[in-house]
Amino acid sequence: MVLKWLQTADSFLWGPGTLVLLVGTGVFLAVRTRFLPWRNLGYALRAALGREARRKTKDGDVTPFASLMTALAATIGTGNIVGVATALVAGGPGALVWMELAALAGLSTKLSECLLAVKFRSRNRRGQMSGGPMYVMRDGLGLGRLGAAMGAAYALFAVCSSFGIGGMAQANSIAGAVEASLGVPVYITALATAGLALAVILGGVQSVAQASAAIVPLMAALYLGAALAALWSCRTNLPAGISLIFRCALSPRAAAGAAAGTAAVSVRDAVRWGVARGVFSNEAGMGSAGISAASAATNSPARQGYIGMTGAFFDTCVVCTVTGLVICCSGALGTPDSTGRAVDGAALTILAFRSALGPAGGLLVSVSVVLFAFTSILGGAYQGERAFEYLFGSRCLMAYRLAFALAVLWGAVAELEAVFGFSDICNALMCLPNLLCLLLLSGVVARELELFQPEVRRKRRKTL
């Protein structure tokens, strides 16, 4: 009964209206800022990967690069492997195009979240920077008690989501991948994962940021290297695969016959699943990236906004894209399983890599699942801890950390259908006040970007 209620609420909250609101807010913010997030994407990438992003000043706790890696740790997860495969099965190859378009809209959303989080952040009793949508709602909207209530509601949903999607679900993915690949019992993986996670998060923001800055680039390089090798292996299919992806995004006839063995899909299915998975993957609109951005050592909200928005680019436009291309070009899409249904989820991605690279390909995907999921645990723990601190203060943080470790331990061995449903509901309830806040403060974002534009031009001239 409870599970059925959760599924009904989940379907309602993540229906077409929410997805339109998410993408529409991103498009509105792009127009409101004169498309500066899109026009300055090149500057943003250089700023995120340049030396300046690795310098720490007195204006924060970690470097801007480490802050970005902490945000990416939370977003680059099993959704980049499992979610893309699910979208392609349910929405056809054309879903990949709509996933990219959703990410394009998400650039301006992410920029706004990170910019506002830095602008309205404050120091806590321990002298650390604290910020995120809850602080923006309380201190930036100027609504008094209503703004504080919105911030408290957002923080509560963020804490609940961190236990579910951030902890339990990721631990379950790790345990499943290790058992399938190496035959290690689930309870051993559960204990190891919970112990490692607790050891890192006990060190606070610096410890999480350092671990993320070390692991995220490594895991991304490993996975992208494997994906590029797979694409090279099936390079003769690449032109036809890319053509099919674009035709299925726009043509009902092409979409209906996209992959043998899958159910007929329409362009509407491609749009729905592509947008949904794109939003779920990069989390643009949920506000979580702003929590990580607030810790960055920077004196410029706009600069950190640009650096933070590259998270949506790396997550969806890079990692999700190569996953989708491998699946579409390997010939794995539409392969039936033992029951006659199309292979889906992680099994489809593993099959695609194995088809291109042999047994090593499947092993590389399994290793990537473990790394992606563990960094998501670290990122989710940090963001949940900051939301918990907003509600209960810094003196109770140890209680949150221990509870989070127990959630990871239990999640690795539990059936998580109800947890997924509850977490999805919390994610949707995070989006609604956050998007309203972004719309109300869009003028502040536009002014900050205009004031920073001379710096962008100066950097651009310097690189020419």
Side-chain angles (χ1 to χ4, degrees), residues 193-244:
T193 303
L196 284 173
L198 183 60
V200 175
I201 63 179
L202 281 176
V205 57
Q206 285 85 1
S207 178
V208 173
Q210 289 172 2
S212 299
I215 299 175
V216 171
L218 174 64
M219 75 176 189
L222 174 68
Y223 185 72
L224 291 176
L228 292 175
L231 290 174
W232 177 257
S233 176
C234 54
R235 59 190 179 279
T236 56
N237 298 333
L238 192 57
I242 294 174
S243 174
L244 179 64

mmCIF file of all heavy atoms in Angstrom, residues 193-244:
data_model
loop_
_atom_site.group_PDB
_atom_site.id
_atom_site.type_symbol
_atom_site.label_atom_id
_atom_site.label_comp_id
_atom_site.label_asym_id
_atom_site.label_seq_id
_atom_site.Cartn_x
_atom_site.Cartn_y
_atom_site.Cartn_z
ATOM 1 N N THR A 193 32.149 -0.462 2.226
ATOM 2 C CA THR A 193 31.673 0.807 1.672
ATOM 3 C C THR A 193 31.300 1.783 2.776
ATOM 4 O O THR A 193 31.685 2.960 2.744
ATOM 5 C CB THR A 193 30.460 0.572 0.758
ATOM 6 O OG1 THR A 193 30.811 -0.350 -0.280
ATOM 7 C CG2 THR A 193 29.997 1.875 0.130
ATOM 8 N N ALA A 194 30.559 1.308 3.766
ATOM 9 C CA ALA A 194 30.159 2.178 4.875
ATOM 10 C C ALA A 194 31.368 2.661 5.661
ATOM 11 O O ALA A 194 31.445 3.839 6.048
ATOM 12 C CB ALA A 194 29.183 1.438 5.792
ATOM 13 N N GLY A 195 32.341 1.775 5.880
ATOM 14 C CA GLY A 195 33.534 2.159 6.630
ATOM 15 C C GLY A 195 34.373 3.196 5.894
ATOM 16 O O GLY A 195 34.823 4.186 6.490
ATOM 17 N N LEU A 196 34.576 2.999 4.598
ATOM 18 C CA LEU A 196 35.352 3.959 3.807
ATOM 19 C C LEU A 196 34.642 5.309 3.737
ATOM 20 O O LEU A 196 35.277 6.367 3.861
ATOM 21 C CB LEU A 196 35.576 3.414 2.400
ATOM 22 C CG LEU A 196 36.627 2.312 2.256
ATOM 23 C CD1 LEU A 196 36.612 1.748 0.843
ATOM 24 C CD2 LEU A 196 38.015 2.840 2.598
ATOM 25 N N ALA A 197 33.334 5.266 3.517
ATOM 26 C CA ALA A 197 32.574 6.516 3.432
ATOM 27 C C ALA A 197 32.655 7.284 4.742
ATOM 28 O O ALA A 197 32.875 8.501 4.753
ATOM 29 C CB ALA A 197 31.117 6.225 3.072
ATOM 30 N N LEU A 198 32.495 6.587 5.865
ATOM 31 C CA LEU A 198 32.545 7.252 7.171
ATOM 32 C C LEU A 198 33.929 7.843 7.423
ATOM 33 O O LEU A 198 34.049 8.967 7.935
ATOM 34 C CB LEU A 198 32.184 6.264 8.277
ATOM 35 C CG LEU A 198 32.128 6.834 9.705
ATOM 36 C CD1 LEU A 198 31.079 7.936 9.802
ATOM 37 C CD2 LEU A 198 31.833 5.718 10.707
ATOM 38 N N ALA A 199 34.970 7.116 7.036
ATOM 39 C CA ALA A 199 36.331 7.604 7.249
ATOM 40 C C ALA A 199 36.570 8.913 6.504
ATOM 41 O O ALA A 199 37.246 9.813 7.012
ATOM 42 C CB ALA A 199 37.345 6.553 6.802
ATOM 43 N N VAL A 200 36.010 9.029 5.297
ATOM 44 C CA VAL A 200 36.206 10.246 4.507
ATOM 45 C C VAL A 200 35.366 11.398 5.057
ATOM 46 O O VAL A 200 35.870 12.502 5.269
ATOM 47 C CB VAL A 200 35.874 9.999 3.022
ATOM 48 C CG1 VAL A 200 35.963 11.303 2.232
ATOM 49 C CG2 VAL A 200 36.838 8.976 2.429
ATOM 50 N N ILE A 201 34.084 11.142 5.305
ATOM 51 C CA ILE A 201 33.201 12.251 5.690
ATOM 52 C C ILE A 201 33.479 12.745 7.107
ATOM 53 O O ILE A 201 33.134 13.885 7.439
ATOM 54 C CB ILE A 201 31.712 11.876 5.536
ATOM 55 C CG1 ILE A 201 31.316 10.727 6.460
ATOM 56 C CG2 ILE A 201 31.395 11.536 4.100
ATOM 57 C CD1 ILE A 201 29.845 10.339 6.363
ATOM 58 N N LEU A 202 34.122 11.935 7.948
ATOM 59 C CA LEU A 202 34.490 12.416 9.279
ATOM 60 C C LEU A 202 35.505 13.552 9.197
ATOM 61 O O LEU A 202 35.607 14.368 10.107
ATOM 62 C CB LEU A 202 35.068 11.272 10.118
ATOM 63 C CG LEU A 202 34.058 10.296 10.732
ATOM 64 C CD1 LEU A 202 34.771 9.169 11.457
ATOM 65 C CD2 LEU A 202 33.101 11.027 11.677
ATOM 66 N N GLY A 203 36.240 13.630 8.079
ATOM 67 C CA GLY A 203 37.221 14.686 7.907
ATOM 68 C C GLY A 203 36.629 16.010 7.487
ATOM 69 O O GLY A 203 37.363 16.999 7.360
ATOM 70 N N GLY A 204 35.326 16.069 7.240
ATOM 71 C CA GLY A 204 34.678 17.316 6.877
ATOM 72 C C GLY A 204 34.840 17.681 5.421
ATOM 73 O O GLY A 204 35.235 16.864 4.590
ATOM 74 N N VAL A 205 34.581 18.949 5.115
ATOM 75 C CA VAL A 205 34.548 19.400 3.734
ATOM 76 C C VAL A 205 35.896 19.239 3.051
ATOM 77 O O VAL A 205 35.974 18.856 1.881
ATOM 78 C CB VAL A 205 34.073 20.868 3.652
ATOM 79 C CG1 VAL A 205 34.954 21.795 4.473
ATOM 80 C CG2 VAL A 205 34.039 21.338 2.209
ATOM 81 N N GLN A 206 37.005 19.515 3.763
ATOM 82 C CA GLN A 206 38.310 19.384 3.128
ATOM 83 C C GLN A 206 38.595 17.949 2.720
ATOM 84 O O GLN A 206 39.135 17.677 1.646
ATOM 85 C CB GLN A 206 39.423 19.891 4.061
ATOM 86 C CG GLN A 206 39.506 21.400 4.167
ATOM 87 C CD GLN A 206 38.562 21.971 5.214
ATOM 88 O OE1 GLN A 206 37.849 21.202 5.881
ATOM 89 N NE2 GLN A 206 38.548 23.278 5.376
ATOM 90 N N SER A 207 38.237 17.017 3.596
ATOM 91 C CA SER A 207 38.473 15.600 3.313
ATOM 92 C C SER A 207 37.641 15.134 2.116
ATOM 93 O O SER A 207 38.149 14.454 1.219
ATOM 94 C CB SER A 207 38.134 14.755 4.541
ATOM 95 O OG SER A 207 38.315 13.388 4.283
ATOM 96 N N VAL A 208 36.360 15.505 2.094
ATOM 97 C CA VAL A 208 35.495 15.121 0.977
ATOM 98 C C VAL A 208 35.975 15.750 -0.317
ATOM 99 O O VAL A 208 36.029 15.103 -1.371
ATOM 100 C CB VAL A 208 34.033 15.528 1.263
ATOM 101 C CG1 VAL A 208 33.155 15.295 0.039
ATOM 102 C CG2 VAL A 208 33.484 14.746 2.448
ATOM 103 N N ALA A 209 36.349 17.039 -0.248
ATOM 104 C CA ALA A 209 36.808 17.732 -1.443
ATOM 105 C C ALA A 209 38.101 17.135 -1.977
ATOM 106 O O ALA A 209 38.273 16.966 -3.197
ATOM 107 C CB ALA A 209 36.998 19.218 -1.144
ATOM 108 N N GLN A 210 39.030 16.804 -1.085
ATOM 109 C CA GLN A 210 40.292 16.211 -1.526
ATOM 110 C C GLN A 210 40.068 14.841 -2.162
ATOM 111 O O GLN A 210 40.668 14.518 -3.196
ATOM 112 C CB GLN A 210 41.245 16.093 -0.333
ATOM 113 C CG GLN A 210 41.791 17.425 0.158
ATOM 114 C CD GLN A 210 42.566 17.291 1.457
ATOM 115 O OE1 GLN A 210 42.732 16.187 1.982
ATOM 116 N NE2 GLN A 210 43.034 18.408 1.988
ATOM 117 N N ALA A 211 39.207 14.042 -1.546
ATOM 118 C CA ALA A 211 38.913 12.727 -2.119
ATOM 119 C C ALA A 211 38.230 12.862 -3.471
ATOM 120 O O ALA A 211 38.557 12.138 -4.426
ATOM 121 C CB ALA A 211 38.025 11.924 -1.156
ATOM 122 N N SER A 212 37.292 13.801 -3.572
ATOM 123 C CA SER A 212 36.584 14.003 -4.832
ATOM 124 C C SER A 212 37.524 14.497 -5.925
ATOM 125 O O SER A 212 37.471 14.050 -7.077
ATOM 126 C CB SER A 212 35.437 15.004 -4.642
ATOM 127 O OG SER A 212 34.507 14.532 -3.695
ATOM 128 N N ALA A 213 38.414 15.455 -5.558
ATOM 129 C CA ALA A 213 39.355 16.007 -6.532
ATOM 130 C C ALA A 213 40.321 14.942 -7.038
ATOM 131 O O ALA A 213 40.828 15.036 -8.166
ATOM 132 C CB ALA A 213 40.130 17.166 -5.921
ATOM 133 N N ALA A 214 40.581 13.917 -6.231
ATOM 134 C CA ALA A 214 41.475 12.841 -6.652
ATOM 135 C C ALA A 214 40.751 11.763 -7.442
ATOM 136 O O ALA A 214 41.246 11.279 -8.467
ATOM 137 C CB ALA A 214 42.154 12.225 -5.422
ATOM 138 N N ILE A 215 39.544 11.385 -6.977
ATOM 139 C CA ILE A 215 38.859 10.240 -7.573
ATOM 140 C C ILE A 215 38.083 10.610 -8.834
ATOM 141 O O ILE A 215 38.103 9.874 -9.823
ATOM 142 C CB ILE A 215 37.901 9.593 -6.542
ATOM 143 C CG1 ILE A 215 38.690 9.081 -5.337
ATOM 144 C CG2 ILE A 215 37.142 8.431 -7.178
ATOM 145 C CD1 ILE A 215 37.810 8.547 -4.225
ATOM 146 N N VAL A 216 37.381 11.758 -8.820
ATOM 147 C CA VAL A 216 36.504 12.099 -9.947
ATOM 148 C C VAL A 216 37.260 12.201 -11.275
ATOM 149 O O VAL A 216 36.849 11.601 -12.273
ATOM 150 C CB VAL A 216 35.711 13.389 -9.655
ATOM 151 C CG1 VAL A 216 34.973 13.864 -10.902
ATOM 152 C CG2 VAL A 216 34.723 13.154 -8.521
ATOM 153 N N PRO A 217 38.377 12.953 -11.355
ATOM 154 C CA PRO A 217 39.098 12.977 -12.635
ATOM 155 C C PRO A 217 39.604 11.600 -13.053
ATOM 156 O O PRO A 217 39.593 11.263 -14.245
ATOM 157 C CB PRO A 217 40.265 13.933 -12.363
ATOM 158 C CG PRO A 217 39.813 14.783 -11.222
ATOM 159 C CD PRO A 217 38.988 13.868 -10.377
ATOM 160 N N LEU A 218 40.040 10.794 -12.074
ATOM 161 C CA LEU A 218 40.542 9.460 -12.386
ATOM 162 C C LEU A 218 39.445 8.574 -12.960
ATOM 163 O O LEU A 218 39.628 7.917 -13.986
ATOM 164 C CB LEU A 218 41.127 8.816 -11.120
ATOM 165 C CG LEU A 218 41.574 7.354 -11.253
ATOM 166 C CD1 LEU A 218 42.724 7.245 -12.250
ATOM 167 C CD2 LEU A 218 41.997 6.800 -9.891
ATOM 168 N N MET A 219 38.291 8.571 -12.293
ATOM 169 C CA MET A 219 37.213 7.701 -12.763
ATOM 170 C C MET A 219 36.666 8.179 -14.098
ATOM 171 O O MET A 219 36.320 7.370 -14.972
ATOM 172 C CB MET A 219 36.088 7.628 -11.721
ATOM 173 C CG MET A 219 35.206 8.857 -11.626
ATOM 174 S SD MET A 219 33.850 8.628 -10.466
ATOM 175 C CE MET A 219 32.884 10.118 -10.807
ATOM 176 N N ALA A 220 36.617 9.502 -14.303
ATOM 177 C CA ALA A 220 36.142 10.025 -15.579
ATOM 178 C C ALA A 220 37.092 9.639 -16.698
ATOM 179 O O ALA A 220 36.658 9.233 -17.793
ATOM 180 C CB ALA A 220 35.992 11.542 -15.504
ATOM 181 N N ALA A 221 38.406 9.756 -16.440
ATOM 182 C CA ALA A 221 39.396 9.395 -17.455
ATOM 183 C C ALA A 221 39.312 7.905 -17.787
ATOM 184 O O ALA A 221 39.400 7.510 -18.956
ATOM 185 C CB ALA A 221 40.796 9.758 -16.968
ATOM 186 N N LEU A 222 39.148 7.064 -16.759
ATOM 187 C CA LEU A 222 39.036 5.618 -16.971
ATOM 188 C C LEU A 222 37.827 5.287 -17.834
ATOM 189 O O LEU A 222 37.922 4.542 -18.826
ATOM 190 C CB LEU A 222 38.932 4.904 -15.618
ATOM 191 C CG LEU A 222 38.662 3.391 -15.669
ATOM 192 C CD1 LEU A 222 39.865 2.666 -16.241
ATOM 193 C CD2 LEU A 222 38.345 2.858 -14.265
ATOM 194 N N TYR A 223 36.685 5.857 -17.473
ATOM 195 C CA TYR A 223 35.460 5.536 -18.205
ATOM 196 C C TYR A 223 35.483 6.112 -19.619
ATOM 197 O O TYR A 223 35.109 5.429 -20.584
ATOM 198 C CB TYR A 223 34.251 6.064 -17.437
ATOM 199 C CG TYR A 223 32.935 5.671 -18.068
ATOM 200 C CD1 TYR A 223 32.484 4.355 -17.996
ATOM 201 C CD2 TYR A 223 32.149 6.601 -18.743
ATOM 202 C CE1 TYR A 223 31.279 3.981 -18.579
ATOM 203 C CE2 TYR A 223 30.950 6.234 -19.327
ATOM 204 C CZ TYR A 223 30.520 4.923 -19.241
ATOM 205 O OH TYR A 223 29.334 4.560 -19.826
ATOM 206 N N LEU A 224 35.917 7.360 -19.750
ATOM 207 C CA LEU A 224 35.958 7.974 -21.076
ATOM 208 C C LEU A 224 36.967 7.272 -21.971
ATOM 209 O O LEU A 224 36.737 7.109 -23.182
ATOM 210 C CB LEU A 224 36.303 9.456 -20.963
ATOM 211 C CG LEU A 224 35.222 10.345 -20.339
ATOM 212 C CD1 LEU A 224 35.742 11.773 -20.190
ATOM 213 C CD2 LEU A 224 33.957 10.326 -21.188
ATOM 214 N N GLY A 225 38.092 6.830 -21.405
ATOM 215 C CA GLY A 225 39.067 6.073 -22.188
ATOM 216 C C GLY A 225 38.475 4.781 -22.706
ATOM 217 O O GLY A 225 38.662 4.414 -23.886
ATOM 218 N N ALA A 226 37.742 4.072 -21.836
ATOM 219 C CA ALA A 226 37.099 2.833 -22.262
ATOM 220 C C ALA A 226 36.039 3.099 -23.329
ATOM 221 O O ALA A 226 35.908 2.354 -24.313
ATOM 222 C CB ALA A 226 36.471 2.133 -21.062
ATOM 223 N N ALA A 227 35.280 4.197 -23.156
ATOM 224 C CA ALA A 227 34.234 4.527 -24.125
ATOM 225 C C ALA A 227 34.831 4.893 -25.488
ATOM 226 O O ALA A 227 34.315 4.471 -26.536
ATOM 227 C CB ALA A 227 33.390 5.685 -23.599
ATOM 228 N N LEU A 228 35.900 5.674 -25.486
ATOM 229 C CA LEU A 228 36.538 6.041 -26.752
ATOM 230 C C LEU A 228 37.128 4.819 -27.437
ATOM 231 O O LEU A 228 37.075 4.693 -28.674
ATOM 232 C CB LEU A 228 37.617 7.097 -26.503
ATOM 233 C CG LEU A 228 37.102 8.470 -26.053
ATOM 234 C CD1 LEU A 228 38.268 9.394 -25.717
ATOM 235 C CD2 LEU A 228 36.222 9.094 -27.139
ATOM 236 N N ALA A 229 37.694 3.896 -26.654
ATOM 237 C CA ALA A 229 38.211 2.652 -27.235
ATOM 238 C C ALA A 229 37.078 1.830 -27.842
ATOM 239 O O ALA A 229 37.222 1.234 -28.927
ATOM 240 C CB ALA A 229 38.945 1.845 -26.167
ATOM 241 N N ALA A 230 35.928 1.803 -27.164
ATOM 242 C CA ALA A 230 34.772 1.075 -27.691
ATOM 243 C C ALA A 230 34.262 1.713 -28.983
ATOM 244 O O ALA A 230 33.915 1.018 -29.946
ATOM 245 C CB ALA A 230 33.667 1.032 -26.643
ATOM 246 N N LEU A 231 34.216 3.041 -29.015
ATOM 247 C CA LEU A 231 33.770 3.729 -30.229
ATOM 248 C C LEU A 231 34.741 3.511 -31.389
ATOM 249 O O LEU A 231 34.326 3.379 -32.545
ATOM 250 C CB LEU A 231 33.605 5.229 -29.950
ATOM 251 C CG LEU A 231 32.432 5.618 -29.049
ATOM 252 C CD1 LEU A 231 32.463 7.110 -28.738
ATOM 253 C CD2 LEU A 231 31.107 5.253 -29.715
ATOM 254 N N TRP A 232 36.027 3.472 -31.086
ATOM 255 C CA TRP A 232 37.012 3.189 -32.134
ATOM 256 C C TRP A 232 36.831 1.772 -32.670
ATOM 257 O O TRP A 232 36.966 1.527 -33.873
ATOM 258 C CB TRP A 232 38.419 3.380 -31.583
ATOM 259 C CG TRP A 232 39.495 3.034 -32.584
ATOM 260 C CD1 TRP A 232 40.267 1.901 -32.628
ATOM 261 C CD2 TRP A 232 39.897 3.830 -33.703
ATOM 262 N NE1 TRP A 232 41.123 1.937 -33.685
ATOM 263 C CE2 TRP A 232 40.916 3.115 -34.381
ATOM 264 C CE3 TRP A 232 39.491 5.060 -34.203
ATOM 265 C CZ2 TRP A 232 41.540 3.599 -35.516
ATOM 266 C CZ3 TRP A 232 40.108 5.546 -35.344
ATOM 267 C CH2 TRP A 232 41.118 4.832 -35.990
ATOM 268 N N SER A 233 36.517 0.848 -31.764
ATOM 269 C CA SER A 233 36.316 -0.541 -32.182
ATOM 270 C C SER A 233 35.136 -0.685 -33.143
ATOM 271 O O SER A 233 35.172 -1.503 -34.069
ATOM 272 C CB SER A 233 36.102 -1.421 -30.941
ATOM 273 O OG SER A 233 35.813 -2.752 -31.300
ATOM 274 N N CYS A 234 34.073 0.103 -32.911
ATOM 275 C CA CYS A 234 32.898 0.025 -33.782
ATOM 276 C C CYS A 234 32.755 1.293 -34.618
ATOM 277 O O CYS A 234 31.643 1.760 -34.867
ATOM 278 C CB CYS A 234 31.645 -0.259 -32.980
ATOM 279 S SG CYS A 234 31.329 0.881 -31.623
ATOM 280 N N ARG A 235 33.900 1.846 -35.037
ATOM 281 C CA ARG A 235 33.908 3.121 -35.765
ATOM 282 C C ARG A 235 33.183 3.058 -37.098
ATOM 283 O O ARG A 235 32.670 4.056 -37.578
ATOM 284 C CB ARG A 235 35.347 3.599 -35.984
ATOM 285 C CG ARG A 235 36.223 2.629 -36.760
ATOM 286 C CD ARG A 235 37.683 3.077 -36.714
ATOM 287 N NE ARG A 235 38.578 2.159 -37.419
ATOM 288 C CZ ARG A 235 39.047 1.037 -36.900
ATOM 289 N NH1 ARG A 235 38.710 0.691 -35.664
ATOM 290 N NH2 ARG A 235 39.857 0.251 -37.586
ATOM 291 N N THR A 236 33.136 1.866 -37.703
ATOM 292 C CA THR A 236 32.433 1.764 -38.987
ATOM 293 C C THR A 236 30.933 1.990 -38.822
ATOM 294 O O THR A 236 30.247 2.363 -39.780
ATOM 295 C CB THR A 236 32.683 0.381 -39.623
ATOM 296 O OG1 THR A 236 32.294 -0.638 -38.693
ATOM 297 C CG2 THR A 236 34.154 0.218 -39.982
ATOM 298 N N ASN A 237 30.415 1.755 -37.603
ATOM 299 C CA ASN A 237 28.984 1.958 -37.341
ATOM 300 C C ASN A 237 28.676 3.368 -36.847
ATOM 301 O O ASN A 237 27.499 3.716 -36.694
ATOM 302 C CB ASN A 237 28.491 0.959 -36.283
ATOM 303 C CG ASN A 237 28.630 -0.474 -36.728
ATOM 304 O OD1 ASN A 237 28.612 -0.767 -37.926
ATOM 305 N ND2 ASN A 237 28.776 -1.383 -35.770
ATOM 306 N N LEU A 238 29.724 4.155 -36.583
ATOM 307 C CA LEU A 238 29.516 5.455 -35.953
ATOM 308 C C LEU A 238 28.679 6.418 -36.799
ATOM 309 O O LEU A 238 27.720 7.017 -36.282
ATOM 310 C CB LEU A 238 30.866 6.084 -35.603
ATOM 311 C CG LEU A 238 30.847 7.308 -34.686
ATOM 312 C CD1 LEU A 238 30.143 6.983 -33.375
ATOM 313 C CD2 LEU A 238 32.267 7.786 -34.401
ATOM 314 N N PRO A 239 28.961 6.600 -38.105
ATOM 315 C CA PRO A 239 28.133 7.526 -38.896
ATOM 316 C C PRO A 239 26.663 7.124 -38.926
ATOM 317 O O PRO A 239 25.771 7.967 -38.763
ATOM 318 C CB PRO A 239 28.761 7.472 -40.287
ATOM 319 C CG PRO A 239 30.174 7.035 -40.045
ATOM 320 C CD PRO A 239 30.098 6.085 -38.901
ATOM 321 N N ALA A 240 26.415 5.824 -39.117
ATOM 322 C CA ALA A 240 25.028 5.357 -39.161
ATOM 323 C C ALA A 240 24.347 5.511 -37.803
ATOM 324 O O ALA A 240 23.164 5.859 -37.719
ATOM 325 C CB ALA A 240 24.987 3.890 -39.602
ATOM 326 N N GLY A 241 25.108 5.275 -36.730
ATOM 327 C CA GLY A 241 24.541 5.411 -35.392
ATOM 328 C C GLY A 241 24.165 6.846 -35.076
ATOM 329 O O GLY A 241 23.085 7.111 -34.537
ATOM 330 N N ILE A 242 25.037 7.795 -35.422
ATOM 331 C CA ILE A 242 24.744 9.213 -35.186
ATOM 332 C C ILE A 242 23.547 9.660 -36.020
ATOM 333 O O ILE A 242 22.665 10.391 -35.540
ATOM 334 C CB ILE A 242 25.981 10.069 -35.497
ATOM 335 C CG1 ILE A 242 27.096 9.754 -34.493
ATOM 336 C CG2 ILE A 242 25.638 11.554 -35.458
ATOM 337 C CD1 ILE A 242 28.406 10.447 -34.790
ATOM 338 N N SER A 243 23.499 9.207 -37.277
ATOM 339 C CA SER A 243 22.366 9.549 -38.138
ATOM 340 C C SER A 243 21.059 9.029 -37.555
ATOM 341 O O SER A 243 20.032 9.732 -37.545
ATOM 342 C CB SER A 243 22.592 8.973 -39.536
ATOM 343 O OG SER A 243 21.462 9.173 -40.361
ATOM 344 N N LEU A 244 21.088 7.797 -37.044
ATOM 345 C CA LEU A 244 19.879 7.210 -36.455
ATOM 346 C C LEU A 244 19.427 7.992 -35.236
ATOM 347 O O LEU A 244 18.224 8.222 -35.035
ATOM 348 C CB LEU A 244 20.152 5.752 -36.074
ATOM 349 C CG LEU A 244 18.985 4.994 -35.421
ATOM 350 C CD1 LEU A 244 17.825 4.858 -36.398
ATOM 351 C CD2 LEU A 244 19.444 3.632 -34.928
#
